Amino acid sequence: MRMRPTLSWTPEEDLPPGSTDPEPVAEALSTGGVLVLSGAGISTESGIPDYRGEGGSLSRHTPMTYQDFTGSDRARRRYWARSHLGWRTFHRALPNAGHRAVAAFERHGLLSGVITQNVDGLHQAAGSAGVVELHGGLDRVVCLSCGALSPRRELARRLEEANAGFAPVAAGVNPDGDADLTDEQVGDFRVVPCALCGGVLKPDVVFFGENVPPPRVEHCRALVREASSLLVLGSSLTVMSGLRFVRQAARAGTPVLIVNRDPTRGDRHAVTRVALPLGTALTAVADRLGIPVDGRTAA
């Protein structure tokens, strides 16, 4: 029997304290070859909440699991009602200073790659190229029967037509694009099938309880092997999908640096954790390196 996914982690008391000095991050970037691993915390300044930080969505919301989604028509109706409403807000989110700084570091040849645990596409919107979406992307939909991929905007149009007037007020939108709605608000929301074969549609993302495709994992492992250092941005590293790369780097003697306000499950493997908001920390790093962000001339 598959266990429910790990959604929380309690920090050990003997973890090293965080720093407020981003200089080690600037030093690592100055040598180049840095691999970025980003999590939900980098998108909070774009209005997308994280899972586990202060006010994180896990305090009020349990993410959909793959087993629930595939095993229940009712669960799929509830998911698509909530996700359809959340998408209206989610897809309008704009990159923030943290995303723009990562893109600037890449343009200046300091990064070997970007792996993101996020499904919001904001790294790409900021100009980062070749981003590995570890957990997929909400801008795509996949059919579980025929495997066809289609744009989320097309599904949004079809759901609008099938659910005219559906406009409940959500309590919030979560990092997976799922809005907080009651069962009464979901009501008799109509789910539409695959336009090609009539099969079940699913966002092209890795749900909790679902495995990241092995070729994607191996690609990420190769990026870790080639990196001069691993820079973790805004991830608690609670789930193994991201933590395994930190452990891999640490075993190989590759320096791990973390920028996250709260302690993380990877802190004991890191040479430093900078406990600052991502936008603040990465803008300061860009300034120290003399790298302009969005055309702003660094001091």
Side-chain angles (χ1 to χ4, degrees):
M1 178 182 296
R2 183 186 289 270
M3 301 295 290
R4 299 287 290 185
T6 298
L7 300 179
S8 62
W9 164 76
T10 301
E12 297 96 340
E13 292 182 359
D14 61 343
L15 284 177
S19 166
T20 57
D21 181 10
E23 181 60 28
V25 176
E27 291 178 359
L29 283 164
S30 68
T31 65
V34 175
L35 175 63
V36 164
L37 171 63
S38 72
I42 199 171
S43 294
T44 57
E45 293 172 45
S46 293
I48 298 174
D50 63 14
Y51 283 113
R52 300 173 181 86
E54 183 178 353
S57 69
L58 284 183
S59 63
R60 63 177 191 277
H61 163 73
T62 300
M64 175 64 67
T65 68
Y66 182 78
Q67 292 73 27
D68 288 343
F69 184 87
T70 57
S72 167
D73 289 338
R74 182 171 180 269
R76 287 193 293 274
R77 182 171 69 251
R78 181 172 181 269
Y79 173 82
W80 278 121
R82 294 163 59 116
S83 186
H84 177 56
L85 185 64
W87 176 250
R88 295 174 180 174
T89 299
F90 197 87
H91 84 283
R92 291 196 293 267
L94 298 175
N96 63 54
H99 299 107
R100 295 193 296 269
V102 170
F105 298 150
E106 183 185 61
R107 286 195 300 272
H108 282 75
L110 305 183
L111 303 185
S112 62
V114 177
I115 301 170
T116 186
Q117 296 171 277
N118 300 337
V119 296
D120 52 36
L122 291 178
H123 277 299
Q124 297 92 317
S128 291
V131 177
V132 179
E133 294 179 310
L134 187 63
H135 297 152
L138 273 180
D139 61 341
R140 306 179 300 275
V141 179
V142 62
C143 175
L144 295 181
S145 295
C146 70
L149 285 171
S150 55
R152 179 62 179 266
R153 63 177 181 274
E154 173 61 20
L155 176 62
R157 181 190 63 78
R158 294 178 62 207
L159 288 174
E160 291 281 358
E161 293 176 352
N163 298 278
F166 180 76
V169 177
V173 178
N174 303 299
D176 53 5
D178 187 7
D180 290 323
L181 295 178
T182 65
D183 289 343
E184 290 74 19
Q185 288 176 305
V186 170
D188 57 355
F189 186 88
R190 292 182 58 197
V191 177
V192 298
C194 173
L196 296 178
C197 75
V200 171
L201 293 176
K202 172 184 172 291
D204 190 26
V205 301
V206 177
F207 281 159
F208 281 90
E210 185 179 6
N211 293 323
V212 178
R216 193 179 303 165
V217 173
E218 182 49 41
H219 177 47
C220 292
R221 289 196 182 279
L223 291 174
V224 175
R225 287 194 294 269
E226 297 163 2
S228 63
S229 59
L230 178 63
L231 176 59
V232 180
L233 303 177
S235 176
S236 67
L237 299 169
T238 296
V239 296
M240 187 56 64
S241 64
L243 180 62
R244 59 184 153 194
F245 303 125
V246 170
R247 290 179 172 175
Q248 176 190 346
R251 286 195 301 268
T254 302
V256 176
L257 303 95
I258 299 174
V259 183
N260 198 64
R261 290 178 302 173
D262 301 316
T264 83
R265 198 176 173 192
D267 281 8
R268 64 177 57 259
H269 303 294
V271 298
T272 187
R273 176 175 61 86
V274 179
L276 291 173
L278 269 295
T280 299
L282 296 183
T283 299
V285 168
D287 284 343
R288 295 188 187 202
L289 295 175
I291 293 177
V293 176
D294 280 355
R296 177 179 58 83
T297 302

